[in-house]
Amino acid sequence: MKRNSYIPIICLWAFPFCFQSLSAQENPQTELPPDSILNIGYARGSLINLSGSVERITESQMNKEQITNPLEAIQGRVAGLTILKSSNGMAALESVRMRGTTSLTSGNDPLIIVDGVLGDLTMLTSIYPADIESFTILKDASETAQYGSRGASGVINIVTKKGVAGKTRVNYSGSFGIAHVYRHLDMLSGAEFRRVAAENNLQILDKGYDTDFQKEIEQVGLQQNHNIAFYGGGEASNYRVSLGYQDRQGVVDNESMKLFTANMNMSQKLLDGFIDCELGLFGSVKKNRTLFDTQKTFYSAATFNPTFPNHKNPETGGWDQITTASQITNPLAWMEVDNNNDASYLSAHARLTFNLMEDLKLVMFGSYTYNDAEDAQYLPTSVWANGQAYRGDRKSESLLGNLMLTYRKQAGAHFFDVLALGELEKNIYKGFYTTVTNFSSNALGYHNLQAGALRPWDGTGSYYEDPHLASFLGRVNYTYDNRYVVTLNARTDASSKFGRNHKWGFFPSASLAWNVTEEAFMKQFRSVDNLKLRVGYGLAGNQGGIDSYTTMALVRPNGVTPVGNAPLVTYESMKNVNPDLKWEVKHTFNAGFDLSMYGNRLLLSVNYYNSKTTDMLYQYNVSVPPFPYSTLLANLGSMRNSGTEVSVGVTPLKTKDMELNINANITFQKNKLLSLSGVYNGEYISASEYTAIAGLNGAGTHGGYNNIVYQIVGQPLGVFYLPHCEGLVSDGEGGYTYQIADLNGGGVNLEDGEDRYVAGQAIPKVLLGSNISFRYKNIDISLQINGAFGHKVYNGTSLSYMNMNSLPDYNVLAEAPKRMIKDQTATDYWLESGNYVNFDYLTVGWTVPLKPRRFLKGIRLAGTVNNLGTISGYSGLTPLVNSSLVDATLGVDDKRTYPLLRTYTVSLSLNF
């Protein structure tokens, strides 16, 4: 049943109690001194000399839950940073967005840097969360401009722990957890299925059982983490080596993950300190087993006839199926699907710092990264006619080298920090795949592809790419009397992906800061510890939407034809060639201030940003002729993103035995698609007025007009464009249908541009992140709360499962017989508020007091409950569906949502 959301009231009540850490600042109890040195991109600087928006999260601030992916440690702790976890809880993240989506093609993920090594989200699986010392997040263009095109969507810089001088130390951290499902869809039971069928005079295939197939495919998921680290060193050198292991069992039978990680860091001073040498190596091996098709699996589990047994037919040796129902298979047969991914990742890097003079340094850095991912899949004959096997292998290599000269000088009231850098990067991407079908036996699976009799023409392929990037950077940071700060960046990138006339892109930035507390008139305000005003403007490029050879004329195989007595492969050209493709450019203005008061017990940071992406890449439909092909990639679009980020931190209680910290951040964000049209070579081209992004598809969806979320110029990216339902009306046969409004007066027409309207947006307008921590002597408690508001979710699951016309081939919701809806037309009837407040985790820890011991230095025990619950008016399982990644699932709950799970974890940390 649809309900009005009461989240805004909850939010207003909760907001004063839930605060988050500040830009470029620690928690109130661990505030950095103003002269603390931070790594800010390639540069190093202090808070005094910082003029851009930078946030730093240290180990003490990270989330205390059982973390699989390192970015989960900062989820909800950084204003404007949206991290969407994978539904199944494995190591992958579905999406990470910093200040929203700024491109329609790709390149929306932030740049990930680990100890100077540049990478993407896949690199994160190689870093064990306990090995991380800090995160530094660069959001505005005045700082991300250091990375040119690679920093267009923000930068997340991860620094891992290093060795320290002294005796060799050992640290062990481990945890054990149990995950279980605590809420399912409420479908008809076997007895109810029989009763409803009889009441409606429906003939059913009754096997005599009462099976809840949702529960049958589930299990209690056991989870464990282990990490051990050895570190030490002396005056001239230090080292740290760690090994990690994660083992996850999903709450669905067919899911599991094992992850092995290793990390090594070493530093050495050479030639009496003239050279500082740093070496690093990290890598991982991941073995992942996941569901082949979540939508079909969960749709089958929910709607399969509950009178069927939970075992194979003893006479046939196979699973009983429903031949009159399409798109569903016995869900227990889906558990026999083998869908595996094995990935190996290795990265090595070295940095040599030559201390030429006291203020002049030359830095040489190089890294090599190798990634190999193998996909293997077998669909047995019980779920796929004649069976199908797939094997694929994807490899990537990355070589990065840069040379950097830095000069730092304090001359009286003047401070200069100058940086010059040259950088080269080469990437190689290659892979192949093969699909075979028609298996006479399921015994061999994907391990012997020769067991499949047929190899479809398009079932085999391979690829190779080797893009290059050359870059130069100049940066000047000037501070006068610790009061006025000016930072200038000039970055230029040349990419092999572009044509000769547009290879180079120039991305400058400038920012100003005023340390107001250094002024004489501020001395009278003794309660103010720090007040800084900031403003900046910069450009960033994006080449993520361009393949390596887009600007070149390409051909591809398109079939086989006989020539004489031998077959010959024929070729065709692939697409329209656009040699004028150029960089997407994002222009960003930033302004903000940082305030700390009362001995850093009150912290406030406010940031405003306004960015416009121009020359936006998009695939247009064009006329044939004059174009040889029907699509063309061109730079004609534009999009705007703007927002305000507010972060607050309060320490209302701080004594020797007790301390209370309340932190929160709230982000107000806006997006608007400005244009998708223009003139190319004298031809006016434009995108369709209404372009569908997400809709109801696949299992259980019958009929047309199933598009739900659209891309419309002049609107936010991802709006619900739907017919309006005025209510339910009788169909004259005891059921009800949706009454569709005639919005334009010309009769009801569900086509785009007719009786449809913009009914809301899928991406939240407001994001909330908060953390409350309390310590009493050696016991500490931490509660994480996240929320999102101002958006909607389409409940496609209820639209399908409430349709009584589905009986008896498909099961329905237990509430469906009372509602008697016999219609599956997609209208705004099932469009609901997506507002929610989610209690992410609660952790209780105890630092065991120890008397001085020879070996054991510290013990900490903790217990954590993940996913305590969600406050929401949404009538489905959960409103936490995809609300950030622009793909076919944006804003739509369409029969693919995992059952809600909760994890209980105990952890132990030992220091020797």
Side-chain angles (χ1 to χ4, degrees):
M1 181 178 297
K2 297 181 70 175
R3 294 167 288 176
N4 293 325
S5 173
Y6 45 88
I7 291 304
I9 298 175
I10 298 296
C11 181
L12 291 174
W13 172 82
F15 181 73
F17 303 97
C18 312
F19 299 100
Q20 170 64 17
S21 58
L22 298 182
S23 294
Q25 295 177 343
E26 300 297 311
N27 274 340
Q29 72 273 22
T30 57
E31 169 71 5
L32 290 176
D35 59 349
S36 294
I37 300 299
L38 305 175
N39 288 313
I40 309 166
Y42 292 102
R44 301 186 72 212
S46 65
L47 294 179
I48 291 177
N49 307 128
L50 181 64
S51 59
S53 176
V54 176
E55 300 198 30
R56 187 168 183 263
I57 306 294
T58 61
E59 185 178 21
S60 63
Q61 295 172 278
M62 297 176 195
N63 292 334
K64 303 299 189 296
E65 60 178 321
Q66 179 166 298
I67 295 167
T68 302
N69 189 290
L71 287 192
E72 295 175 21
I74 58 174
Q75 184 181 25
R77 291 186 171 264
V78 179
L81 179 63
T82 303
I83 298 172
L84 180 64
K85 295 182 181 180
S86 178
S87 303
N88 60 2
M90 297 296 111
L93 296 174
E94 288 192 6
S95 73
V96 180
R97 291 291 179 266
M98 192 176 295
R99 292 182 169 177
T101 296
T102 60
S103 175
L104 291 180
T105 48
S106 59
N108 287 298
D109 292 339
L111 173 67
I112 305 297
I113 305 172
V114 178
D115 291 339
V117 180
L118 277 58
D120 55 20
L121 296 177
T122 60
M123 183 167 67
L124 291 171
T125 58
S126 296
I127 305 300
Y128 195 90
D131 288 333
I132 296 175
E133 179 181 279
S134 67
F135 294 85
T136 302
I137 295 93
L138 313 181
K139 292 190 289 187
D140 66 21
S142 62
E143 299 301 342
T144 61
Q146 296 181 59
Y147 293 97
S149 61
R150 284 172 292 196
S153 298
V155 178
I156 299 177
N157 190 5
I158 299 174
V159 177
T160 62
K161 296 174 182 177
K162 306 297 189 294
V164 294
K167 295 182 179 179
T168 297
R169 305 178 189 181
V170 180
N171 171 264
Y172 166 80
S173 60
S175 64
F176 292 88
I178 297 175
H180 76 99
V181 173
Y182 69 91
R183 186 183 175 192
H184 306 82
L185 291 168
D186 187 14
M187 310 297 289
L188 293 176
S189 66
E192 292 169 337
F193 189 80
R194 296 184 186 93
R195 175 181 57 80
V196 171
E199 292 173 351
N200 289 272
N201 297 317
L202 298 174
Q203 297 296 320
I204 65 171
L205 181 59
D206 190 348
K207 294 282 188 176
Y209 292 86
D210 192 341
T211 305
D212 186 340
F213 283 100
Q214 292 183 92
K215 293 183 178 180
E216 289 296 330
I217 67 170
E218 295 167 2
Q219 64 181 358
V220 174
L222 302 181
Q223 305 180 0
Q224 58 178 313
N225 288 358
H226 302 282
N227 177 264
I228 188 167
F230 307 86
Y231 57 100
E235 294 182 1
S237 64
N238 62 63
Y239 65 91
R240 187 179 188 275
V241 178
S242 70
L243 299 173
Y245 172 68
Q246 297 184 34
D247 190 341
R248 296 279 190 277
Q249 290 180 357
V251 294
V252 178
D253 284 345
N254 216 17
E255 293 186 308
S256 64
M257 186 272 291
K258 290 181 171 59
L259 178 64
F260 306 85
T261 62
N263 188 295
M264 181 193 73
N265 288 290
M266 184 185 72
S267 67
Q268 177 71 52
K269 293 184 179 297
L270 305 173
L271 303 179
D272 294 328
F274 178 68
I275 301 176
D276 294 329
C277 176
E278 300 175 44
L279 300 175
L281 179 71
F282 59 87
S284 65
V285 175
K286 183 179 71 171
K287 297 182 178 295
N288 209 11
R289 177 169 176 166
T290 61
L291 299 179
F292 167 69
D293 189 320
T294 57
Q295 190 184 56
K296 288 185 178 180
T297 300
F298 293 134
Y299 178 59
S300 297
T303 64
F304 203 77
N305 188 330
T307 70
F308 275 49
N310 63 352
H311 53 77
K312 290 184 177 182
N313 189 315
E315 297 180 3
T316 64
W319 297 103
D320 288 334
Q321 303 290 355
I322 306 173
T323 58
T324 56
S326 63
Q327 299 286 342
I328 66 171
T329 301
N330 191 312
L332 295 174
W334 278 110
M335 297 301 98
E336 296 180 343
V337 173
D338 245 348
N339 191 44
N340 294 281
N341 171 265
D342 294 345
S344 301
Y345 196 98
L346 175 67
S347 182
H349 63 275
R351 179 183 288 106
L352 295 176
T353 302
F354 297 86
N355 300 300
L356 305 179
M357 299 171 56
E358 182 179 355
D359 304 314
L360 184 66
K361 299 180 185 295
L362 176 66
V363 181
M364 300 174 62
F365 179 84
S367 67
Y368 172 76
T369 301
Y370 177 81
N371 187 20
D372 185 1
E374 180 184 353
D375 299 307
Q377 175 190 105
Y378 183 71
L379 306 176
T381 54
S382 57
V383 298
W384 204 268
N386 302 317
Q388 177 176 288
Y390 170 92
R391 295 291 293 267
D393 189 77
R394 295 168 284 120
K395 292 183 172 67
S396 66
E397 295 179 81
S398 178
L399 287 148
L400 175 73
N402 62 50
L403 188 66
M404 181 171 63
L405 191 65
T406 64
Y407 178 76
R408 297 167 57 90
K409 181 68 176 180
Q410 183 78 50
H414 305 277
F415 172 76
F416 298 90
D417 185 357
V418 182
L419 180 153
L421 174 135
E423 188 170 75
L424 292 173
E425 182 179 11
K426 174 183 172 64
N427 293 285
I428 297 175
Y429 306 103
K430 57 185 177 181
F432 64 89
Y433 60 89
T434 297
T435 302
V436 295
T437 63
N438 282 40
F439 284 79
S440 57
S441 170
N442 293 321
L444 299 178
Y446 58 72
H447 299 289
N448 191 333
L449 297 183
Q450 289 177 311
L454 295 179
R455 179 171 61 87
W457 160 254
D458 58 352
T460 297
S462 62
Y463 65 91
Y464 179 90
E465 297 181 29
D466 62 342
H468 301 68
L469 189 71
S471 308
F472 297 95
L473 168 68
R475 175 184 170 92
V476 177
N477 176 249
Y478 169 72
T479 304
Y480 174 72
D481 198 25
N482 287 340
R483 290 184 292 168
Y484 312 112
V485 185
V486 179
T487 304
L488 302 174
N489 287 287
R491 170 94 179 202
T492 180
D493 289 336
S495 172
S496 63
K497 294 184 178 182
F498 296 100
R500 179 173 300 177
N501 297 330
H502 299 285
K503 286 189 180 298
W504 287 95
F506 180 58
F507 311 111
S509 72
S511 58
L512 304 172
W514 178 22
N515 290 310
V516 183
T517 42
E518 297 297 324
E519 300 290 348
F521 67 82
M522 288 294 295
K523 303 304 179 185
Q524 59 183 312
F525 302 102
R526 296 184 179 180
S527 60
V528 178
D529 303 305
N530 179 59
L531 174 61
K532 177 186 283 188
L533 307 181
R534 296 175 280 98
V535 65
Y537 182 82
L539 277 62
N542 183 10
Q543 60 169 338
I546 302 180
D547 294 330
S548 296
Y549 312 111
T550 301
T551 59
M552 302 171 63
L554 301 176
V555 296
R556 63 182 174 189
N558 71 341
V560 177
T561 186
V563 177
N565 295 323
L568 180 69
V569 174
T570 59
Y571 289 82
E572 65 176 349
S573 54
M574 293 178 59
K575 54 194 171 185
N576 290 315
V577 178
N578 183 356
D580 298 320
L581 286 176
K582 53 188 176 182
W583 297 85
E584 271 189 5
V585 181
K586 185 174 73 171
H587 310 251
T588 306
F589 170 78
N590 307 273
F593 70 87
D594 302 317
L595 172 67
S596 61
M597 300 178 66
Y598 306 114
N600 294 319
R601 293 179 66 169
L602 172 62
L603 304 175
L604 173 65
S605 179
V606 178
N607 291 285
Y608 169 78
Y609 67 91
N610 191 315
S611 69
K612 181 180 180 181
T613 303
T614 60
D615 295 326
M616 192 165 60
L617 291 161
Y618 189 70
Q619 195 78 244
Y620 292 89
N621 293 321
V622 294
S623 301
V624 180
F627 295 96
Y629 298 93
S630 59
T631 60
L632 174 73
L633 182 66
N635 300 88
L636 296 176
S638 61
M639 184 190 298
R640 184 178 299 281
N641 283 268
S642 62
T644 301
E645 302 163 348
V646 181
S647 300
V648 185
V650 180
T651 305
L653 175 63
K654 187 174 183 179
T655 66
K656 178 182 177 181
D657 291 335
M658 289 192 295
E659 185 169 343
L660 174 64
N661 291 292
I662 307 171
N663 302 299
N665 67 71
I666 187 167
T667 302
F668 303 89
Q669 58 183 11
K670 294 181 180 179
N671 169 274
K672 187 175 183 179
L673 184 58
L674 300 176
S675 174
L676 277 178
S677 61
V679 177
Y680 173 78
N681 285 351
E683 294 285 334
Y684 178 80
I685 58 177
S686 175
S688 300
E689 184 176 0
Y690 307 99
T691 302
I693 296 175
L696 306 174
N697 60 8
T701 299
H702 310 289
Y705 305 112
N706 298 319
N707 294 325
I708 306 296
V709 179
Y710 281 73
Q711 163 192 300
I712 303 175
V713 172
Q715 296 287 340
L717 182 59
V719 292
F720 294 96
Y721 182 59
L722 295 164
H724 174 56
C725 178
E726 297 178 321
L728 298 175
V729 295
S730 174
D731 64 356
E733 298 178 358
Y736 295 89
T737 61
Y738 302 111
Q739 178 67 47
I740 300 174
D742 183 1
L743 299 179
N744 59 10
V748 174
N749 187 335
L750 302 185
E751 297 286 346
D752 295 344
E754 297 294 332
D755 293 311
R756 289 175 175 261
Y757 76 110
V758 175
Q761 65 183 64
I763 298 176
K765 297 178 181 178
V766 181
L767 300 171
L768 172 70
S770 59
N771 183 273
I772 303 172
S773 60
F774 175 74
R775 177 186 60 83
Y776 176 70
K777 293 186 177 180
N778 296 316
I779 297 176
D780 57 87
I781 302 174
S782 180
L783 174 67
Q784 180 73 22
I785 307 172
N786 298 314
F789 313 93
H791 66 299
K792 296 185 178 182
V793 174
Y794 194 82
N795 193 343
T797 300
S798 289
L799 174 68
S800 295
Y801 294 169
M802 201 67 76
N803 178 24
M804 285 294 289
N805 281 335
S806 297
L807 284 172
D809 291 335
Y810 307 87
N811 198 2
V812 295
L813 286 166
E815 189 182 355
K818 298 177 183 178
R819 305 282 293 275
M820 284 304 291
I821 299 174
K822 295 186 176 182
D823 194 355
Q824 202 172 344
T825 304
T827 70
D828 62 357
Y829 185 87
W830 291 107
L831 184 64
E832 304 183 43
S833 169
N835 297 346
Y836 68 85
V837 172
N838 185 59
F839 295 84
D840 208 31
Y841 72 85
L842 175 69
T843 293
V844 178
W846 177 38
T847 302
V848 181
L850 294 176
K851 295 180 180 180
R853 296 177 181 273
R854 182 178 180 184
F855 298 112
L856 188 59
K857 304 298 182 184
I859 303 176
R860 174 179 165 80
L861 298 171
T864 299
V865 182
N866 285 80
N867 197 16
L868 280 78
T870 304
I871 300 175
S872 173
Y874 182 63
S875 64
L877 269 182
T878 175
L880 277 73
V881 302
N882 174 23
S883 61
S884 60
L885 183 62
V886 181
D887 66 4
T889 67
L890 177 65
V892 180
D893 174 3
D894 186 22
K895 305 177 289 294
R896 59 170 56 86
T897 303
Y898 273 71
L900 299 189
L901 61 95
R902 184 173 291 134
T903 305
Y904 301 89
T905 307
V906 293
S907 59
L908 169 68
S909 179
L910 302 173
N911 289 302
F912 298 92

